[in-house]
Amino acid sequence: MSGPVAIGQAAKETGIKVPTIRFYEEIKLIQPLVRTDGNRRQYEQADLRRLSFIRHARELGFDLDAIRNLLTLQDDPNQPCTVADGIAKARLADIERRIHSLTALKKELKVMIEGCSRGSVSDCRVIETLADHSLCVDDHNHGS
Amino acid sequence: MSGPVAIGQAAKETGIKVPTIRFYEEIKLIQPLVRTDGNRRQYEQADLRRLSFIRHARELGFDLDAIRNLLTLQDDPNQPCTVADGIAKARLADIERRIHSLTALKKELKVMIEGCSRGSVSDCRVIETLADHSLCVDDHNHGS
DNA sequence: CGCTCTCCTCTAGTCGCTAGAGGATATGGG
DNA sequence: CCCATATCCTCTAGCGACTAGAGGAGAGCG
């Protein structure tokens, strides 16, 4: 029932910061919108939904280009779903790659930290491991 | 035994790209170094080791600031190791947080993709899920 | 000598914002 | 009705960690 809201309220409702909303407008993720007499932006419910969509997609790690694609799809709901599906799948693959890589890093860091003698830097395993790649537990670069 | 090398060779040996090496010099991660008569940079073995250290630390996800700290420690090996240890531990915690978060994202994306009807966008679960946060499998934001 | 390759410096662009200056408008109380 | 404060406006510049490209100088080889 609530009518159009100002940018501050929109920020509150969507969890996107005010300057970020303006930035999204600037790069045309959201349409140039209606202003009040005093030149203030007004956000309708549909705009708020669009912003929430963007926020949620960002939280899932989609980049703005992917989001732009998804929004275009959403604007034209008779298009086939396969494009959205593809974007999401690419994202999933990327996330899986990253989890894999981070897990390897975690292992290496743990070994480093556990080997730390807490003496002086001269026999610190952390520094030493970083300095000499050949000490790595396993080489996460040959794995990708 | 090999003497000083040019930047291209240094790039090859350390796996850091030529412009990146120059960038590291600009931001003073590596010292202003000796040049040849023809104004070309020359890298000694010690420089190459420093660059490898940086690369390895970057691969482990340390930011340049953290690396700067670690390098300072390395330059002065009588300092206690606890600082390096702390930096590494903070990094580990960060990685664990990220793995956790990415795992939640992965779950959500999977549900989205599996629910995709492959029909038109109008009944695409991917779009729908993004549009309505309340459809999330679990809310990874309240978990942090 | 000419050819090519590598090197040099410099500027500008990437992504996704964030911060701040400097000014206009809106709202509520006295 | 006036003033204080809050919110808004536009604009420019900055962040991190590079990357790309222009335009020119030097190095090495046949």
Side-chain angles (χ1 to χ4, degrees), chain B residues 6 8 22 35 39-41:
Chain B
R22 288 199 273 248
R35 304 279 182 117
N39 196 32
R40 300 192 169 196
R41 288 168 179 87

Side-chain angles (χ1 to χ4, degrees), chain A residues 105-106 108-114 116 124-127 130, chain B residues 60 62 66 70 73 81-95:
Chain A
L105 299 192
K106 179 175 148 183
E108 191 168 349
L109 274 170
K110 269 196 166 157
V111 173
M112 271 170 57
I113 290 166
E114 276 155 23
C116 175
C124 176
R125 171 94 188 168
V126 171
I127 298 280
L130 286 170
Chain B
L60 287 169
F62 291 92
L70 290 169
L73 290 174
C81 179
T82 47
V83 183
D85 194 48
I87 294 171
K89 273 188 180 145
R91 183 73 203 120
L92 179 61
D94 181 46
I95 285 176

